[in-house]
Amino acid sequence: MKDFTDSSGGRFTRGEGEWKPFSIEGIQADFYVAPNGNDNWSGKLPEPNEEGTDGPFATLKRAQEAVRRLKEEVFQEKRRPPEARYIGSSHKYGKGKDIVVLIRGGYYLLEEPLYFGPEDGGERCETDKPSGAFEFNLLKDYYVTYAAYPGEIPIIAGGKRIVNWQKENNRWSAYLTRNEKVESLIVNGRKQRLARIPNEGYFYPTETPTSAEEFRFCKGDIRKWEKLEGNRIIFLLRWHIGINSIREIDEENCIIRLENSQPGLLEVPPRYYVENIEALLDAPGEWYFDIHTGKLLLIPPMDIDDPNNAFIVVPTISSLIVVTGRPDKPVRNLRFYGLYLQGTASGGSAVSFEYAWNCEVLESKFTGLSGIAIKVGKGCFGTRIYKNVIDGADGGGIHINGLAYPERWTDIIDGTVISYNRVSNAGRVAIYSANTLNTTISHNEVKDTAWAIKVGGWSNIEEAIDGGYRVEYNHIHHAMIDADDGGALTVAGQTSNSIIRRNLIHDIQPSYFNENTAFMFDNWSAGWVVEENIYYNLKQAPMKLCAATLADNVYRDNFYIEKSIENEPEGIIDGKPIVEYRSLKINKKEFRTGEVVKISCSVYNKGATGVEKIALFVNGRIVEFRKVPVIKNNEQEVEFDLKLYEPGTYKISVGGLEDLLSSPEEIIEVSGNKFQFVCDKLKLSEESGIIPVGDELEVSAEIKNIGDLGIKALVPLYLNEN
């Protein structure tokens, strides 16, 4: 048995089985970063020494520089293979090690994003471990990891901390530079609400607008406030949100005149609210900024007495971590673990990847973002996004968007895995992927958002690079909030080898104008296999199509549970159902041959939510299988209709193959004559059953011989029981 272990760590690309998540336990760091550190120190100590002459670095940028220098020392070029018949790979190095930077708890404010290039990641090496008669090297990946120090929370924020708050009655004030842009305000990681009216919900116009530049409001909703400059009016329209501003308020005639013509205003009656007016500052968690005086006003959230004791940030940059390689030299094996990222302006993403291979974002938290939390762009391979918490990202949670028709193979996005993440309050689309290959989206919980998961290019045809999706075991709930005409889980475009299965979807907000469903085939959908998904607590239909047909897709064995669910299911679906069979019921004890026996059994699931294959046994033999949706910690009723054609005593039970001995059972008696054949599956040539008088109607049926011998059967056709 060959020994493939060494102290340098790393991961072999072959022979190690399934991917294993990174663990901080037992890790010896190469460098440390801490708020009380110093960039002139070595960075090799987790805290300052007693003399104050050495300790951790103060900034991540300084640690990045140290990693680059260490890489030059530990990564060594490979030796020439001793066996001439072995050609070797294109990888430069033959020796290396994992490099780890541990970041102590505390706040790290960035004035500009952290940029990572090819020189900042790990490397793939050819080791000299034997692997066969003619191969003398194995490929091994070494990682550069930026991780939270065990048990601590490093908070990385992009912006300016606001201090020196002064109390003014129930409000607090602080001063910034005049004309400074304040797009959002983050208090302890949570994005606060800009002063608005109404504080909750929306206003509605008195009638559908007849002009795209003005509309009538309900009396008492809007007043002629002073200092309208910088106001915003937000419209919820069909398929989109409109952002405008108020030019004039005619309070006497209840008319709002807009600064710009508003697209979509004439299509549907809008819902709207008004924000960014000082007079509207009246509720905990609201704020307002006066661009002329530089005065920032805040009514603190209910859980904060003094904002000077809180971490309050005005975001000034749109991205925090930017990983960008080149088509000919990607960033390899770069990992971020256990970080807390918050506070970005709109237009960017907290973490982004482009031309990056085998990079990871693990067990990190994202809050208070105006943009996207994690973005994967072109040229990325093997990206893994695992066990992160995203709660508050206005631009979206996790977005992967490649090129439908890339010119180079190095531009393709392939092998992305998004698993075991919790995503909430994540803009219009929480998880989005289009123009990618072999993307897995599994075991995520997505809630409190509009569209939960969207996959597939909206207008893609069969030549597009878009396929190999696996969207499974996701738990989607309380979705389609303030959205119109869509599905919480939506597919679009033409694809191949793409499967949507075993997702749990419930509590979907109905559409204001059209219809919101649990699942949707959107524009050009073709080639999708959608099966064994479970829906419940819907106000509208379980599924719908838009510019797509079922003839081009497979939609089978999906379940809508109409009755209420008593107990909330698990957040993350992981594992298999573990069911108990209770209270078997049969409508009576004695039957005639051919009579319908109605059988029901209560099934309780103490395992993971899923679809269980349940069998009906008659005298120990399986006579029917049925797929049944089973929700964790809930009972579900399963029903069978059985016909017995031979008199006798029968033992009836319901369960799985391994549960037969423990399944409940009942004994019934059947009397009467033994049947020799039965008629089944009656069909009419006109399915509607409506034909003109005098036209022919073709009737067909399936005749089953259930006796022991071959017979000639006289099969009568009945019309009105004659």
Side-chain angles (χ1 to χ4, degrees), residues 140-209:
K140 193 173 191 181
D141 280 332
Y142 293 103
Y143 281 78
V144 171
T145 300
Y146 290 82
Y149 189 90
E152 299 185 7
I153 302 175
I155 299 173
I156 301 172
K160 176 180 180 180
R161 186 173 185 183
I162 310 301
V163 294
N164 298 323
W165 292 90
Q166 301 294 321
K167 190 171 184 180
E168 299 179 0
N169 298 319
N170 70 323
R171 309 191 300 188
W172 293 72
S173 65
Y175 282 88
L176 283 70
T177 306
R178 293 183 183 183
N179 298 317
E180 189 170 350
K181 184 179 180 181
V182 181
E183 182 182 275
S184 61
L185 189 69
I186 311 301
V187 177
N188 290 346
R190 308 298 300 183
K191 192 172 184 180
Q192 304 303 297
R193 186 173 59 192
L194 191 56
R196 59 168 277 182
I197 190 172
N199 287 335
E200 301 291 340
Y202 306 94
F203 287 141
Y204 302 83
T206 57
E207 58 192 23
T208 301

Side-chain angles (χ1 to χ4, degrees), residues 415-435:
T416 309
V417 178
I418 303 169
S419 294
Y420 294 93
N421 302 283
R422 297 181 187 271
V423 186
S424 58
N425 301 299
R428 303 299 288 170
V429 184
I431 300 177
Y432 174 77
S433 179
N435 307 320

Side-chain angles (χ1 to χ4, degrees), residues 514-526:
N514 202 293
E515 187 174 47
N516 286 339
T517 58
F519 181 82
M520 179 180 180
F521 290 102
D522 207 348
N523 195 58
W524 286 79
S525 290

Side-chain angles (χ1 to χ4, degrees), residues 30-31 38-45 53-57 62 66:
D30 296 278
F31 302 106
N38 189 319
D39 282 350
N40 293 319
W41 290 341
S42 69
K44 295 182 179 180
L45 299 177
T53 59
D54 197 10
F57 295 132
R62 177 66 183 87

